[in-house]
Amino acid sequence: MKFATKAIHVGQEPEPRTGAVTTPIYQTSTYAQDELGKHKGWEYSRTHNPTRDALEECLASLENGKYGLAFSSGLAATNTVMNLLSAGDHVVVGEDVYGGTYRIFEKVFRRYGIEYTYVDSQDVQNAYKAIEKNTKMIWLETPTNPLLRIADIGAHVKLAKEKKIISVVDNTFASPYFQRPLDLGTDIVVHSTTKYMGGHSDVVGGAIITSSTDMYETLKFHQNAVGAVPGPFDAWLVLRGLKTLSLRMQQHEKNALAIAQFLEKHPAIEKVYYPGLASHPQHDLAKKQMHGFGGMVSCVVNGGIESAKQLLHNTKLFALAESLGGVESLIGHPSTMTHASIPQNIREERGIVDGLVRLSAGIEDIDDLLNDLKNALASINTKAMAR
Ligand SMILES: *Cc1c(COP(=O)(O)O)cnc(C)c1O
């Protein structure tokens, strides 16, 4: 079965009792048992719920994985992957990970004795150099947030296999429509389903997908033992979002490319980051390991924070908001929003400067989106000329 078909059908057979074509929301915490020790496969909804089962099966199939696990947020999924480790273990992390990922590593798991080293993952040699005797995992995000840098997944997997350590890719930005890390040998894929998978900015959720039975069993144990599971309605919302994932991703990408090309020519813009542009330093690598370039574009506005504010405050369709991947276009300021939890000196060293603006291209009509940006950027030019 191909991707668009799997998104609609896997785990989602018509319900046997009534024939309902849409998976019901099994809004129940518990299940009647036939007799002591004999039940129909469901006992308690932290452990199993039929709506969540459908979602987990569908998520696994979209990533070409054997097993899927759904969580109440992307960070709950991240937390559960960290539960594979023990005090004294060390993780090599691609340096420009999501701010909340950095926060849970540094502020939560470091206190439990897990160590992290951050490396520029544009060159796999940096990961080789960071490996220690106690390194147990490599954690990558690609494309990265917000600079849209690309890590070579295959090269990092090769290193992980050589060193017999676990490889993890946060695939939130690309979605499985554009990138399938398990096909490239990665052990574990993590998602914030809040973003493209849900796709409508109406649910917070997370996922883990793997084909390793051993890792799945440990992760499943922790999903139940820790309990950060999505409720049946949230699971249903993500499942509903998945049905249109392929159509949405195609439009997100078309719009993002047009926006990136427009910004690249605009005099108020100093720099554009989009892996689909030939000017992106890793455009060829992106072409090789991805099936498309996604819907996220970042740019640096000439004139720092004041000009950035003009753009952020003057768009009418792009809402100033956290998050990404919904049908509506959003605009954000990484250094004060998503990445505010990273200390300023580290942030700037990594290129997350005050003039940096991140755009999540929605699926509106592109003419309206470009006009909105044109008008908002015009206010910057006028101001500059007035000075
Ligand atoms: C949003 C996000 C997360 C965290 O997910 P939540 O659903 O907000 O907990 C993790 N990684 C990336 C790349 C994200 O964009």
Side-chain angles (χ1 to χ4, degrees):
M1 235 186 269
K2 298 278 178 63
F3 190 93
T5 315
K6 292 199 285 192
I8 293 167
H9 290 286
V10 173
Q12 303 166 79
E13 295 296 311
E15 191 269 325
R17 192 163 77 93
T18 62
V21 293
T22 298
T23 306
I25 302 165
Y26 287 89
Q27 194 73 39
T28 188
S29 60
T30 190
Y31 307 84
Q33 307 195 1
D34 299 328
E35 57 184 77
L36 270 182
K38 192 158 170 265
H39 56 73
K40 297 180 169 65
W42 293 272
E43 289 169 279
Y44 187 63
S45 278
R46 178 167 19 78
T47 320
H48 287 292
N49 174 279
T51 315
R52 195 174 93 215
D53 295 346
L55 172 61
E56 292 179 334
E57 212 184 305
C58 189
L59 287 166
S61 86
L62 294 182
E63 284 285 1
N64 289 338
K66 275 198 194 144
Y67 309 102
L69 291 165
F71 293 87
S72 56
S73 71
L75 284 174
T78 299
N79 183 100
T80 304
V81 173
M82 284 300 123
N83 293 155
L84 292 173
L85 304 179
S86 302
D89 288 349
H90 173 249
V91 185
V92 174
V93 185
E95 74 181 355
D96 105 279
V97 285
Y98 177 68
T101 304
Y102 178 80
R103 182 177 54 201
I104 196 173
F105 290 173
E106 290 303 308
K107 298 275 161 80
V108 180
F109 284 101
R110 206 176 262 283
R111 284 175 33 239
Y112 292 86
I114 297 175
E115 293 162 24
Y116 299 90
T117 302
Y118 300 86
V119 299
D120 179 347
S121 56
Q122 292 171 107
D123 181 354
V124 71
Q125 290 311 320
N126 296 324
Y128 272 94
K129 284 182 216 142
I131 298 280
E132 310 268 358
K133 276 206 176 64
N134 57 340
T135 305
K136 293 283 161 61
M137 185 180 280
I138 295 183
W139 183 288
L140 293 178
E141 204 177 296
T142 181
T144 65
N145 176 19
L147 296 173
L148 301 156
R149 292 177 175 154
I150 310 289
D152 186 331
I153 297 175
H156 283 84
V157 162
K158 186 166 164 276
L159 162 63
K161 290 201 190 306
E162 266 172 44
K163 306 285 178 186
K164 298 192 166 43
I165 60 180
I166 302 169
S167 52
V168 183
V169 172
D170 179 336
N171 201 26
T172 300
F173 262 43
S175 90
Y177 185 74
F178 285 135
Q179 177 168 277
R180 291 185 283 280
L182 298 182
D183 288 352
L184 303 169
T186 308
D187 294 315
I188 293 175
V189 167
V190 171
H191 277 283
S192 168
T193 55
T194 312
K195 317 295 167 53
Y196 288 108
M197 307 273 244
H200 296 72
S201 307
D202 53 10
V203 63
V204 171
I208 299 175
I209 300 102
T210 183
S211 289
S212 153
T213 305
D214 282 354
M215 284 182 217
Y216 167 72
E217 279 169 2
T218 311
L219 292 163
K220 171 75 201 167
F221 169 82
H222 281 99
Q223 182 197 42
N224 183 54
V226 176
V229 292
F233 184 53
D234 284 0
W236 185 87
L237 280 170
V238 177
L239 201 53
R240 180 190 170 121
L242 290 181
K243 290 178 198 283
T244 54
L245 183 63
S246 62
L247 284 175
R248 287 187 286 107
M249 291 317 294
Q250 290 169 39
Q251 195 61 39
H252 283 300
E253 184 187 42
K254 263 192 208 158
N255 286 354
L257 179 62
I259 288 168
Q261 288 168 338
F262 164 80
L263 292 174
E264 206 172 33
K265 289 198 217 93
H266 200 287
I269 301 297
E270 191 182 309
K271 200 171 166 102
V272 180
Y273 299 96
Y274 183 65
L277 290 176
S279 62
H280 189 287
Q282 296 156 294
H283 178 62
D284 289 336
L285 173 58
K287 248 192 341 209
K288 194 182 92 187
Q289 76 180 13
M290 301 176 74
H291 310 285
F293 306 106
M296 298 300 295
V297 181
S298 292
C299 64
V300 178
V301 186
N302 278 318
I305 182 80
E306 285 314 314
S307 312
K309 275 190 190 163
Q310 288 298 316
L311 173 58
L312 292 157
H313 292 166
N314 287 300
T315 51
K316 301 233 154 40
L317 287 173
F318 285 83
L320 175 60
E322 303 267 4
S323 200
L324 62 112
V327 291
E328 60 291 286
S329 293
L330 300 178
I331 189 165
H333 188 234
S335 69
T336 58
M337 293 169 72
T338 45
H339 290 64
S341 53
I342 301 174
Q344 186 179 6
N345 58 329
I346 299 180
R347 215 164 51 214
E348 296 204 339
E349 228 174 74
R350 291 186 191 167
I352 306 172
V353 295
D354 283 346
L356 185 74
V357 170
R358 191 188 80 176
L359 301 162
S360 173
I363 61 170
E364 301 96 332
D365 190 286
I366 187 61
D367 293 343
D368 292 327
L369 295 181
L370 293 181
N371 270 330
D372 196 32
L373 292 172
K374 200 182 293 171
N375 293 338
L377 287 168
S379 65
I380 297 174
N381 288 338
T382 326
K383 290 246 158 167
M385 275 186 276
R387 263 193 217 115

mmCIF file of all heavy atoms in Angstrom, residues 9-24:
data_model
loop_
_atom_site.group_PDB
_atom_site.id
_atom_site.type_symbol
_atom_site.label_atom_id
_atom_site.label_comp_id
_atom_site.label_asym_id
_atom_site.label_seq_id
_atom_site.Cartn_x
_atom_site.Cartn_y
_atom_site.Cartn_z
ATOM 1 N N HIS A 9 -6.257 4.146 5.682
ATOM 2 C CA HIS A 9 -6.810 2.815 5.966
ATOM 3 C C HIS A 9 -6.131 2.005 7.065
ATOM 4 O O HIS A 9 -6.789 1.194 7.706
ATOM 5 C CB HIS A 9 -6.839 1.992 4.675
ATOM 6 C CG HIS A 9 -7.867 2.492 3.708
ATOM 7 N ND1 HIS A 9 -9.223 2.278 3.897
ATOM 8 C CD2 HIS A 9 -7.754 3.220 2.571
ATOM 9 C CE1 HIS A 9 -9.902 2.856 2.909
ATOM 10 N NE2 HIS A 9 -9.029 3.431 2.088
ATOM 11 N N VAL A 10 -4.818 2.172 7.289
ATOM 12 C CA VAL A 10 -4.154 1.246 8.222
ATOM 13 C C VAL A 10 -4.643 1.475 9.658
ATOM 14 O O VAL A 10 -4.702 2.606 10.137
ATOM 15 C CB VAL A 10 -2.614 1.357 8.144
ATOM 16 C CG1 VAL A 10 -1.950 0.527 9.243
ATOM 17 C CG2 VAL A 10 -2.126 0.893 6.778
ATOM 18 N N GLY A 11 -5.042 0.384 10.296
ATOM 19 C CA GLY A 11 -5.568 0.442 11.664
ATOM 20 C C GLY A 11 -6.998 0.945 11.719
ATOM 21 O O GLY A 11 -7.567 1.096 12.792
ATOM 22 N N GLN A 12 -7.575 1.234 10.547
ATOM 23 C CA GLN A 12 -8.867 1.922 10.520
ATOM 24 C C GLN A 12 -9.913 1.189 9.678
ATOM 25 O O GLN A 12 -10.621 1.784 8.876
ATOM 26 C CB GLN A 12 -8.664 3.355 9.986
ATOM 27 C CG GLN A 12 -7.647 4.123 10.819
ATOM 28 C CD GLN A 12 -7.169 5.389 10.135
ATOM 29 O OE1 GLN A 12 -7.842 6.407 10.133
ATOM 30 N NE2 GLN A 12 -5.990 5.324 9.524
ATOM 31 N N GLU A 13 -10.013 -0.132 9.886
ATOM 32 C CA GLU A 13 -11.075 -0.917 9.258
ATOM 33 C C GLU A 13 -12.421 -0.402 9.769
ATOM 34 O O GLU A 13 -12.500 0.054 10.903
ATOM 35 C CB GLU A 13 -10.940 -2.388 9.691
ATOM 36 C CG GLU A 13 -9.678 -3.086 9.222
ATOM 37 C CD GLU A 13 -9.621 -3.199 7.722
ATOM 38 O OE1 GLU A 13 -10.624 -3.639 7.135
ATOM 39 O OE2 GLU A 13 -8.586 -2.804 7.134
ATOM 40 N N PRO A 14 -13.500 -0.517 8.988
ATOM 41 C CA PRO A 14 -14.814 -0.162 9.539
ATOM 42 C C PRO A 14 -15.073 -0.925 10.839
ATOM 43 O O PRO A 14 -14.691 -2.091 10.975
ATOM 44 C CB PRO A 14 -15.789 -0.592 8.435
ATOM 45 C CG PRO A 14 -14.984 -0.494 7.173
ATOM 46 C CD PRO A 14 -13.576 -0.875 7.565
ATOM 47 N N GLU A 15 -15.707 -0.277 11.790
ATOM 48 C CA GLU A 15 -15.954 -0.859 13.112
ATOM 49 C C GLU A 15 -16.924 -2.035 12.945
ATOM 50 O O GLU A 15 -17.985 -1.882 12.314
ATOM 51 C CB GLU A 15 -16.524 0.247 14.023
ATOM 52 C CG GLU A 15 -16.592 -0.097 15.480
ATOM 53 C CD GLU A 15 -17.917 -0.724 15.853
ATOM 54 O OE1 GLU A 15 -18.943 -0.326 15.278
ATOM 55 O OE2 GLU A 15 -17.906 -1.632 16.706
ATOM 56 N N PRO A 16 -16.572 -3.254 13.467
ATOM 57 C CA PRO A 16 -17.345 -4.460 13.125
ATOM 58 C C PRO A 16 -18.825 -4.443 13.559
ATOM 59 O O PRO A 16 -19.661 -4.954 12.842
ATOM 60 C CB PRO A 16 -16.599 -5.588 13.854
ATOM 61 C CG PRO A 16 -15.358 -5.002 14.400
ATOM 62 C CD PRO A 16 -15.410 -3.526 14.297
ATOM 63 N N ARG A 17 -19.133 -3.860 14.715
ATOM 64 C CA ARG A 17 -20.516 -3.975 15.209
ATOM 65 C C ARG A 17 -21.493 -3.184 14.348
ATOM 66 O O ARG A 17 -22.556 -3.667 13.995
ATOM 67 C CB ARG A 17 -20.594 -3.509 16.665
ATOM 68 C CG ARG A 17 -21.925 -3.865 17.332
ATOM 69 C CD ARG A 17 -21.820 -3.785 18.837
ATOM 70 N NE ARG A 17 -21.853 -2.401 19.297
ATOM 71 C CZ ARG A 17 -22.958 -1.778 19.671
ATOM 72 N NH1 ARG A 17 -24.128 -2.398 19.657
ATOM 73 N NH2 ARG A 17 -22.913 -0.536 20.088
ATOM 74 N N THR A 18 -21.109 -1.925 13.975
ATOM 75 C CA THR A 18 -22.051 -1.053 13.264
ATOM 76 C C THR A 18 -21.643 -0.776 11.828
ATOM 77 O O THR A 18 -22.429 -0.260 11.044
ATOM 78 C CB THR A 18 -22.121 0.311 13.969
ATOM 79 O OG1 THR A 18 -20.806 0.906 13.900
ATOM 80 C CG2 THR A 18 -22.550 0.180 15.415
ATOM 81 N N GLY A 19 -20.390 -1.047 11.488
ATOM 82 C CA GLY A 19 -19.905 -0.679 10.156
ATOM 83 C C GLY A 19 -19.447 0.768 10.062
ATOM 84 O O GLY A 19 -19.138 1.244 8.962
ATOM 85 N N ALA A 20 -19.410 1.481 11.177
ATOM 86 C CA ALA A 20 -18.946 2.885 11.159
ATOM 87 C C ALA A 20 -17.608 2.957 10.424
ATOM 88 O O ALA A 20 -16.665 2.251 10.782
ATOM 89 C CB ALA A 20 -18.794 3.401 12.593
ATOM 90 N N VAL A 21 -17.519 3.812 9.399
ATOM 91 C CA VAL A 21 -16.270 3.844 8.624
ATOM 92 C C VAL A 21 -15.173 4.622 9.347
ATOM 93 O O VAL A 21 -13.993 4.447 9.076
ATOM 94 C CB VAL A 21 -16.459 4.439 7.200
ATOM 95 C CG1 VAL A 21 -17.318 3.519 6.353
ATOM 96 C CG2 VAL A 21 -17.036 5.835 7.243
ATOM 97 N N THR A 22 -15.565 5.497 10.255
ATOM 98 C CA THR A 22 -14.577 6.257 11.003
ATOM 99 C C THR A 22 -14.350 5.581 12.352
ATOM 100 O O THR A 22 -15.309 5.178 13.011
ATOM 101 C CB THR A 22 -15.075 7.695 11.215
ATOM 102 O OG1 THR A 22 -15.222 8.302 9.935
ATOM 103 C CG2 THR A 22 -14.099 8.508 12.039
ATOM 104 N N THR A 23 -13.078 5.443 12.739
ATOM 105 C CA THR A 23 -12.742 4.809 14.016
ATOM 106 C C THR A 23 -13.441 5.546 15.155
ATOM 107 O O THR A 23 -13.280 6.761 15.292
ATOM 108 C CB THR A 23 -11.222 4.868 14.247
ATOM 109 O OG1 THR A 23 -10.583 4.302 13.107
ATOM 110 C CG2 THR A 23 -10.811 4.113 15.495
ATOM 111 N N PRO A 24 -14.246 4.848 15.966
ATOM 112 C CA PRO A 24 -14.927 5.528 17.072
ATOM 113 C C PRO A 24 -13.955 6.049 18.127
ATOM 114 O O PRO A 24 -12.835 5.550 18.258
ATOM 115 C CB PRO A 24 -15.812 4.426 17.670
ATOM 116 C CG PRO A 24 -15.931 3.392 16.604
ATOM 117 C CD PRO A 24 -14.643 3.444 15.850
#
